[in-house]
């Protein structure tokens, strides 16, 4: 991956990123991730068009929600889609409120009277966990289109590589990958390059951008994810495992 | 046709008689009417002949939203529902009801700006609207169910994100005092029975679409944040109700947040704390209408604020009152605002533990639980005022007969027991007996049925009754002649908040007067409440402006209960807001730049079309004496003080005549009849109205 391409990814993912700042370099990948590859493997990973991208680094931060403060106004969803994409579209929003707003019947796994306006009144904000390695969406992508953003280390969709196959959508246990029918591309939380619009838009201080912590072990999955990994990626995994 | 943002471009047309569903281009037909009530009035003018009754299949019920619905423009959650009004007495005329919630936004995401429904299905149906397509579905298994269960069942079929607008048993049984409700507690009064008359139980909407913002996204973000910076609390009250470190003023407002006032029933109690207006991340804490209406006691029961899609001001409050579950067998969670929240409480004259004690809160919980499931409307509290008056005057006992009278536990009622509500409210929804049937008809028809002259009600200030079956809605008691003028213009309670939200925003009079100069041209446009000066032309300008802003908000789908934004909480701006924020948002969202003046002209077209519909359906152009009437009580002050004295809310009859003259003159209408002239219609692009009136003799030169 060249610097030029990195710059393109950044522009596609948001207007405020400095295009001179590379997404990540092979050196960063190798050493910051604390994983030592053989030269041959590394070369194979990065030089060939068929190379397999495995994200090792942690994100710097993530957005977390406090359901007891959420007032269900959906301003976060609108800020996410309008200020990033120029259209009001809860479906492509990378924070998910709408699906949890109404009745308890909406929440899989909740068989009893549960959250929602028709339930106990709580609205649970669904947010990207910026998963640690192995990153389910990135690993599932057959096109290596889910990559690392440079300054935030968020896992982001490179829309030039994404072909809209939606395999990543099925891989995320928390159902946090959106699909934009207008662009035919997947999209996910990219932390707005370090200034999350949802956090800025919340009128109830119910969202916070905090240093990364691992929520994947404590938050119950929303769907049964598809855990299939393509053979080329699996072979890369074998290098370490 | 240009590719506009804001609108999604399609209007859905459903004929329930034959099941035909078609789609038309919103902008080709309705662009000059913006959306919301604008589309509603236009459809009624074009498609519903004079003389139609509300339950006739030919009557239209139009669910209209506007170009800002579903966007991030603040406070855009309202759906305007326009139809022939079933409680408008003695003859049904055009009016609109407005519901908040998530329906308006979801309708846009599903690909529609409006739904026009007519005809009558031969069995109960519901309308399923899913991503640009609509389908009429069997609702026989939902008929007879309450609104909450209906909403659940339809959500189960459509998916959890669906927004369901449903009627309850009241609407099914053609009780005129009935509502349609979406998102648990967001109702539009009066229209439930019109849906019921069409055998239409509910409309479910769900969409994965988007609303394009035509303008540059950075500019849009700036505009949205600018508008947010001007917001106050509910009703655009811009100063807090208690002294705050950051605030120069305080007053009796709905900005109730303060350190120590907590959402006590949140899973971990939350302090509403300091809400400095510059902190846009705490807007949602400013308002708690449960605390505003029910008193300090409500804080401990507050789970959180709730409200419409996109609105940072949460005018609904979710309450959790565990005791009601065991005492009354209703859910411990309830929510609503204003008269919806007070629905149960307001039937009672007193409670054993005082007006703001535990029992009054329990009465609110019981009332909300029943009314918002059965789908009963209370006509801005008029039903409860009528009930109390009829009971305590003895009229009720006399009219219902002794057998029926004895079937109610009046002892329980007088003691203020919420248990009393179960039989009464269920009875209203089922038209079970004389009392409940009469109450469900609405004041005008109820009084007629019981042989009580309307004027008896119009002499009693405590009954707040105005005319045509409906009460005052912010009239002389708050805004002198301006309030009176506004209350003469509609065919139900006027629902206008442009004037009252400014008058009651909490700012001192001298600050308000400086803003009044900018907007209406003189400090004389406003007075202190109940210290009125004689009529002047600036009050007429304010009345016109208020009505046009109401129609603008109702058509763009921004909330006239939250606007206007001509005052702000910003001391550094001398508390001034911006009266062109609507034009800024409209222009950026749609890509169709319009100045404030151009939008004012659009809203004038919309309002004058409402006037034309009223003239056409009343078959008279003499609005002045036949329609724009005022109740006698406005000329009386309860303490007997004369008009124009300090502390008096009394109006003067000659002064009110002058007020109407000045208002008609500002509108360019005929002074004698109060009807728009032919040239007014022409100037506003309503040539077809002028032509019709020319032919049928209703034209005024």
């Amino acid at each position: 991956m060249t610097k030029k391409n990195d710059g393109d990814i950044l522009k596609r993912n948001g207007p405020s990123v400095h295009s001179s700042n590379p997404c990540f370099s092979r050196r960063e990948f190798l050493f910051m991730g604390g994983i030592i590859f053989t030269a041959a493997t590394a070369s194979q990973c990065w030089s060939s068009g068929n190379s397999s991208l495995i994200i090792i680094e942690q994100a710097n931060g993530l957005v977390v929600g406090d359901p007891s403060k959420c007032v269900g106004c959906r301003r976060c969803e609108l800020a996410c889609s309008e200020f990033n994409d120029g259209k009001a579209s809860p479906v492509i929003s990378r924070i998910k409120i709408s699906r949890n707003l109404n009745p308890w019947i909406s929440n899989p796994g909740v068989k009893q009277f549960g959250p929602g306006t028709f339930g106990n009144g709580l609205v649970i904000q669904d947010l990207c966990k910026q998963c640690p390695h192995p990153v389910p969406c990135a690993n599932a992508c057959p096109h290596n289109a889910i990559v690392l953003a440079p300054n935030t280390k968020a896992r982001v969709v490179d829309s030039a590589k994404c072909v809209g196959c939606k395999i990543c959508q099925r891989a995320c246990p928390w159902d946090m990958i959106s699909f934009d029918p207008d662009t035919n591309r997947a999209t996910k939380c990219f932390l707005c390059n370090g200034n999350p619009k949802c956090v800025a838009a919340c009128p109830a201080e119910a969202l916070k951008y905090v240093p990364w912590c691992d929520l994947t072990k404590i938050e119950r999955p929303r769907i049964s994810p598809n855990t299939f990994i393509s053979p080329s990626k699996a072979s890369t995994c074998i290098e370490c495992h | 046709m240009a590719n506009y943002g804001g609108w999604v471009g399609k209007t859905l047309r459903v004929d329930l008689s034959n099941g035909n569903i078609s789609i038309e281009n919103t902008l080709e037909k309705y662009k000059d009417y913006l959306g919301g009530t604008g589309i509603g009035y236009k459809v009624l003018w074009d498609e519903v002949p004079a003389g139609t009754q509300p339950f006739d299949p030919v009557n239209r019920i139009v669910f209209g939203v506007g170009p800002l619905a579903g966007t991030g423009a603040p406070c855009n959650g309202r759906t305007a529902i326009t139809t022939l009004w079933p409680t408008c007495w003695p003859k049904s005329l055009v009016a609109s009801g407005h519901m908040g919630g998530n329906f308006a936004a979801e309708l846009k995401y599903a690909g529609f700006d409006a739904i026009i429904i007519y005809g009558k299905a031969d069995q109960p149906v519901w309308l399923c609207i899913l991503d640009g397509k609509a389908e009429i579905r069997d609702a026989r298994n939902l008929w007879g169910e309450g609104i909450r269960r209906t909403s659940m069942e339809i959500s189960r079929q459509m998916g959890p994100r669906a927004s369901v607008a449903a009627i309850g048993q009241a609407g099914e049984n053609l009780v005129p005092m009935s509502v349609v409700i979406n998102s648990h507690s967001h109702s539009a009064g009066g229209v439930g029975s019109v849906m019921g008359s069409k055998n239409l139980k509910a409309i479910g909407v769900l969409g994965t679409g988007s609303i394009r913002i035509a303008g540059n996204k950075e500019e849009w973000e700036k505009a949205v944040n600018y508008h947010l910076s001007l917001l106050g609390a509910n009703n655009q009250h811009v100063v807090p109700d208690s002294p705050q470190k950051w605030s120069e003023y305080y007053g009796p407002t709905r900005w109730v947040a303060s350190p120590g006032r907590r959402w006590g029933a949140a899973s971990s109690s939350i302090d509403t704390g300091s809400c400095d207006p510059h902190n846009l991340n705490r807007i949602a804490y400013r308002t708690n209408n449960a605390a505003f209406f029910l008193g300090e006691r409500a804080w401990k029961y507050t789970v959180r604020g709730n409200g419409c899609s996109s609105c940072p001001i949460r005018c609904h409050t979710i309450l959790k009152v565990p005791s009601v579950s065991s005492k009354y067998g209703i859910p411990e969670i309830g929510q609503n605002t204003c008269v919806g929240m007070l629905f149960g409480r307001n039937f009672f004259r007193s409670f054993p533990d005082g007006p703001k004690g535990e029992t009054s809160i329990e009465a609110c919980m019981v009332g909300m639980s029943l009314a918002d499931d059965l789908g009963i409307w209370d006509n801005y509290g008029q039903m409860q005022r009528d009930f109390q008056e009829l009971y305590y005057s003895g009229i009720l006992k006399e009219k219902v007969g002794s057998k029926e009278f004895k079937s109610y536990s009046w002892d329980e009622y007088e003691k203020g027991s919420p248990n009393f509500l179960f039989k009464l409210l269920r009875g209203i929804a089922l038209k079970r007996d004389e009392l409940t049937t009469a109450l469900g008809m609405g004041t005008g028809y109820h009084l007629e049925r019981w042989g009580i002259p309307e004027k008896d009600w119009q002499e009693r200030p405590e009954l707040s009754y105005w005319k045509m079956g409906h009460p005052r809605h912010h009239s002389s008691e708050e805004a002198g002649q301006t309030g009176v003028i506004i209350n003469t213009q509609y065919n139900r309670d006027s629902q206008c908040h442009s004037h009252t939200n400014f008058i009651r925003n909490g700012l001192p009079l001298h600050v308000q007067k400086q803003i009044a100069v900018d907007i209406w041209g003189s400090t004389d446009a406003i007075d202190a409440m109940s210290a009125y000066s004689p009529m002047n032309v600036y009050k007429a300008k304010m009345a016109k402006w208020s009505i046009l802003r109401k129609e603008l908000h109702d058509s763009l789908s921004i909330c006239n209960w939250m606007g206007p934004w001509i005052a702000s909480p910003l001391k550094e701006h001398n508390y001034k807001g911006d009266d062109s924020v609507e034009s800024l948002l409209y222009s950026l969202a749609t890509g169709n730049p319009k100045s404030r003046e151009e939008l004012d002209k659009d809203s004038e077209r919309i309002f004058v079309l409402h006037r034309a519909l009223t003239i056409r359906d009343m078959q008279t152009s003499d609005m002045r004496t036949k329609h724009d009437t005022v109740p006698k009580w406005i000329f009386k002050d309860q303490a007997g003080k004369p008009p124009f004295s300090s502390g008096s809310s009394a109006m003067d009859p000659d002064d009110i005549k002058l007020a109407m003259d000045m208002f008609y003159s500002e509108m360019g209408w005929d002074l004698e009849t109060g009807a728009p002239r032919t040239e007014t219609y022409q100037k506003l692009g309503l040539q077809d109205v002028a032509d019709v009136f020319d032919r049928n003799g209703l034209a005024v030169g």
Side-chain angles (χ1 to χ4, degrees):
Chain A
M1 187 173 283
T2 66
K3 284 196 174 190
K4 183 176 175 295
N5 283 341
D6 292 343
D8 286 345
I9 292 168
L10 303 177
K11 279 179 195 159
R12 284 191 295 272
N13 281 310
S16 61
V17 172
H18 302 294
S19 58
S20 60
N21 186 2
C23 178
F24 51 84
S25 67
R26 180 169 26 145
R27 178 177 293 271
E28 280 170 336
F29 174 74
L30 292 175
F31 292 103
M32 290 182 68
I35 305 290
I36 300 169
F37 280 75
T38 65
T41 308
S43 169
Q44 197 177 16
C45 278
W46 297 102
S47 58
S48 146
N50 295 323
S51 64
S52 292
L53 169 60
I54 305 290
I55 296 175
I56 307 293
E57 285 185 73
Q58 312 287 32
N60 294 342
L62 83 171
V63 179
V64 294
D66 179 344
S68 65
K69 290 182 175 174
C70 179
V71 293
C73 69
R74 306 157 88 186
R75 290 203 65 79
C76 51
E77 292 185 329
L78 294 162
C80 178
S81 63
E82 283 187 345
F83 302 158
N84 287 309
D85 307 87
K87 57 189 179 185
S89 176
V91 169
I92 67 160
S93 169
R94 297 85 178 172
I95 174 170
K96 308 282 182 194
I97 302 296
S98 303
R99 67 191 187 190
N100 294 340
L101 261 187
N102 289 329
W104 56 266
I105 58 166
S106 70
N107 292 306
V110 180
K111 302 265 189 314
Q112 303 298 317
F113 188 74
T117 305
F118 283 82
N120 63 18
L122 283 185
V123 178
I124 294 170
Q125 308 98 328
D126 284 341
L127 289 146
C128 175
K129 284 144 193 71
Q130 307 296 345
C131 291
H133 173 81
V135 181
C137 58
N139 280 3
C141 178
H143 304 282
N144 294 331
I146 295 180
V147 300
L148 206 62
N151 53 350
T152 60
K153 309 289 191 290
R155 292 81 173 94
V156 302
V157 176
D158 176 352
S159 59
K161 288 184 184 167
C162 175
V163 300
C165 69
K166 301 187 184 176
I167 287 175
C168 57
Q169 275 197 306
R170 290 293 301 139
C172 174
W174 297 277
D175 197 11
M176 288 307 300
I177 308 281
S178 302
F179 183 78
D180 185 341
D182 297 333
T183 61
N184 195 36
R185 296 287 182 274
T187 180
K188 72 171 289 299
C189 178
F190 58 100
L191 296 171
C192 299
N193 310 311
N195 289 300
K197 304 282 188 191
C198 55
V199 175
C202 180
E205 291 181 342
L207 299 171
K208 281 186 185 144
Y209 183 40
V210 298
W212 187 82
C213 57
D214 190 355
L215 298 179
T216 63
K217 307 291 188 293
I218 57 173
E219 287 206 12
R220 193 196 306 209
R222 191 179 169 95
I223 61 170
S224 299
N226 181 351
T227 53
F228 176 78
I229 295 177
S230 67
S232 66
K233 287 212 177 181
S235 67
T236 310
C237 297
I238 290 167
E239 296 294 330
C240 298
H241 295 288
Chain B
M1 186 64 60
N3 181 20
Y4 292 112
W7 291 284
V8 288
K10 289 178 191 162
T11 291
L12 183 68
R13 186 173 274 280
V14 181
D15 183 346
L16 291 169
S17 291
N18 56 23
N20 282 348
I21 291 175
S22 57
I23 289 170
E24 54 194 32
N25 186 313
T26 308
L27 293 161
E28 273 172 16
K29 229 171 157 178
Y30 304 113
K31 179 166 170 282
D32 291 346
Y33 300 88
L34 301 175
T37 51
I39 290 185
Y41 301 153
K42 177 67 174 153
V43 168
L44 260 70
W45 177 264
D46 288 345
E47 302 177 25
V48 180
T52 303
Q53 297 300 312
F55 298 160
D56 290 348
V58 72
N59 183 23
R60 267 57 176 161
I61 181 165
V62 184
F63 291 73
V65 302
L68 294 180
T71 70
C75 317
N76 69 52
R78 292 185 85 85
T79 307
I81 306 172
T82 309
T83 193
L84 286 174
W85 212 248
T87 57
C88 178
W89 178 86
K91 183 179 186 186
S92 178
L93 296 168
V94 62
S96 61
H98 304 258
M99 62 179 181
N102 293 294
F103 188 88
E106 204 59 39
L107 184 63
K108 297 279 288 287
Y109 305 144
F112 296 104
D113 301 301
I115 317 167
I116 303 166
I117 299 170
Y118 47 96
K120 180 183 179 179
D122 46 20
Q123 64 183 37
V125 295
W126 67 278
L127 182 62
C128 175
I129 302 175
L130 194 58
D131 272 332
K133 292 192 177 124
E135 194 179 291
I136 297 168
R137 294 198 181 170
D138 189 349
R140 281 175 298 180
N141 63 343
L142 297 172
W143 206 253
E145 296 288 4
I147 288 170
R148 280 192 288 274
R149 178 158 287 114
T150 302
S151 305
M152 290 286 169
E153 286 298 329
I154 290 176
S155 293
R156 204 187 304 281
Q157 292 179 48
M158 292 186 74
R161 283 199 311 108
S163 183
V164 181
I167 61 169
Q169 294 89 340
E172 291 175 7
N173 293 322
L174 309 186
V175 174
M177 292 286 283
S178 56
V179 293
V180 59
I181 290 189
N182 84 89
S183 304
H184 198 284
S185 55
H186 295 269
S187 64
V191 301
S193 58
V194 177
M195 284 177 71
S197 73
K198 298 185 180 312
N199 265 331
L200 178 63
K201 177 69 178 172
I203 305 173
V205 290
L206 177 62
T208 57
S210 58
I211 302 160
R212 190 175 68 87
I213 303 299
N216 173 288
K217 63 189 179 192
E218 284 81 22
E219 274 180 53
W220 177 252
E221 182 171 2
K222 227 169 110 184
V224 166
N225 285 329
Y226 171 62
H227 190 187
L228 289 169
S229 78
L230 304 177
L231 296 188
N234 181 223
N235 285 21
Q236 191 55 8
H237 289 178
V238 296
V239 306
D241 82 330
S242 59
Q244 300 293 317
K245 277 183 191 155
W246 50 265
S247 178
E248 189 177 8
Y249 306 114
Y250 68 97
T253 69
R254 299 187 181 199
W255 187 317
V256 298
S258 184
R261 288 176 170 168
R262 307 177 74 84
W263 292 358
S267 40
S268 172
S269 146
I270 293 162
D271 195 15
T272 55
S274 177
C275 288
D276 184 306
H278 300 92
N279 186 349
L280 303 184
N281 297 112
R282 296 192 59 79
I283 300 177
Y285 295 110
R286 295 175 188 172
T287 302
N288 178 344
N289 276 347
F292 178 77
F293 286 109
L294 309 179
E296 289 291 325
R297 191 181 295 272
W299 284 105
K300 69 178 177 191
Y301 296 127
T302 299
V303 178
R304 66 170 168 98
N306 200 21
C308 302
S309 171
S310 91
C311 189
I313 294 167
R314 311 311 276 168
C315 71
H316 283 224
T317 305
I318 300 184
L319 294 173
K320 182 179 182 180
V321 186
S323 64
V324 299
S325 183
S326 55
K327 275 170 105 166
Y328 306 103
I330 60 167
E332 61 182 11
I333 302 260
Q335 60 177 305
N336 213 307
T337 185
C338 196
V339 292
M341 178 171 276
L342 302 174
F343 196 106
R345 186 183 94 172
N346 283 357
F347 279 97
F348 300 95
R349 188 164 277 185
S350 63
F351 294 101
D353 46 358
K356 290 189 172 175
E358 289 292 331
T359 319
S360 85
I361 289 180
E362 289 173 5
C364 289
M365 294 296 287
V366 172
M368 285 189 278
S369 176
L370 290 168
D372 292 351
D373 199 41
L374 297 162
I376 305 170
W377 187 40
D378 77 349
N379 193 10
Y380 198 53
Q382 191 63 37
M383 178 189 273
Q384 293 88 341
R385 287 188 292 272
D386 292 350
F387 180 82
Q388 283 197 35
E389 171 60 23
L390 291 165
Y391 175 75
Y392 285 104
S393 67
I395 296 174
L396 190 155
K397 185 175 183 180
E398 175 199 327
K399 296 292 175 187
V400 302
S402 65
K403 188 177 168 204
E404 180 179 323
F405 188 79
K406 280 181 196 154
S407 75
Y408 287 88
S409 176
W410 297 106
D411 190 39
E412 210 171 37
Y413 171 63
E414 288 192 18
K415 278 191 204 147
S417 165
N419 276 318
F420 177 80
L421 295 170
F422 287 89
K423 180 173 162 132
L424 182 73
L425 298 189
R426 284 179 183 149
I428 291 171
L430 302 174
K431 291 181 173 171
R432 194 177 41 217
D433 52 23
E434 175 57 30
L435 169 62
T436 51
T437 303
L439 278 173
M441 296 172 83
T443 305
Y445 296 96
H446 183 172
L447 295 181
E448 184 181 329
R449 182 181 176 102
W450 285 9
I452 303 164
E454 186 195 28
K455 68 176 175 49
D456 288 5
W457 251 233
Q458 287 174 317
E459 285 172 358
R460 308 273 302 278
E462 70 277 18
L463 293 179
S464 294
Y465 178 80
W466 196 271
K467 60 164 182 166
M468 297 168 78
H470 299 96
R472 68 162 165 82
H473 203 142
H474 307 300
S475 68
S476 51
E477 76 287 358
E478 291 173 12
Q481 299 93 336
T482 306
V484 171
I485 294 167
I486 292 167
N487 273 265
T488 61
Q489 293 300 295
Y490 287 91
N491 303 319
R492 56 168 291 188
D493 56 310
S494 60
Q495 303 180 94
C496 180
H497 294 78
S498 317
H499 59 312
T500 182
N501 288 2
F502 179 71
I503 296 285
R504 297 182 62 177
N505 63 16
L507 290 170
L509 187 63
H510 70 273
V511 178
Q512 290 180 329
K513 279 184 176 280
Q514 286 315 305
I515 299 170
V517 172
D518 292 352
I519 309 292
W520 306 297
S522 167
T523 55
D524 295 340
I526 57 165
D527 301 313
M529 276 197 278
S530 298
Y532 301 120
S533 62
M535 183 62 190
N536 64 58
V537 72
Y538 302 103
K539 295 183 182 185
K541 286 181 193 292
M542 182 180 175
K544 175 182 179 180
W545 182 93
S546 299
I547 290 171
L548 298 194
R549 280 301 154 114
K550 167 188 153 36
E551 293 297 344
L552 179 65
H553 294 163
D554 290 348
S555 299
L556 293 177
S557 289
I558 49 177
C559 184
N560 187 257
W561 280 250
M562 293 297 160
W565 296 276
I566 52 175
S568 78
L570 303 175
K571 185 183 177 189
E572 63 273 29
H573 295 172
N574 296 321
Y575 300 99
K576 289 179 180 175
D578 188 337
D579 72 334
S580 56
V581 70
E582 294 93 337
S583 125
L584 173 70
L585 293 167
Y586 170 89
S587 302
L588 277 172
T590 62
N592 173 40
K594 277 195 181 181
S595 64
R596 185 186 66 208
E597 292 78 11
E598 288 169 300
L599 279 181
D600 282 347
K601 189 176 174 187
D602 286 340
S603 39
E604 187 170 353
R605 177 180 311 114
I606 291 163
F607 175 56
V608 166
L609 184 58
H610 174 277
R611 188 72 160 175
L613 273 164
T614 304
I615 290 170
R616 186 193 70 177
D617 290 1
M618 284 183 74
Q619 290 290 301
T620 175
S621 55
D622 183 8
M623 292 288 99
R624 178 161 205 148
T625 61
K626 302 277 195 325
H627 181 275
D628 297 350
T629 56
V630 299
K632 275 194 181 157
W633 62 257
I634 67 164
F635 302 120
K636 287 190 226 164
D637 178 68
Q638 278 177 299
K641 290 184 179 175
F644 313 129
S645 62
S646 180
S648 168
S649 61
M651 297 281 104
D652 174 78
D654 289 334
D655 184 69
I656 288 297
K657 280 196 188 105
L658 177 65
M660 296 312 293
D661 278 345
M662 285 181 166
F663 173 67
Y664 296 151
S665 182
E666 278 300 312
M667 295 299 301
W669 297 350
D670 176 50
L671 291 194
E672 195 188 327
T673 59
R677 301 169 201 273
T678 302
E679 65 180 45
T680 308
Y681 293 125
Q682 287 166 337
K683 185 189 81 182
L684 293 169
L686 296 169
Q687 182 66 47
D688 55 331
V689 174
D691 292 345
V692 168
F693 284 177
D694 233 12
R695 283 199 300 276
N696 66 14
L698 291 169
V700 173

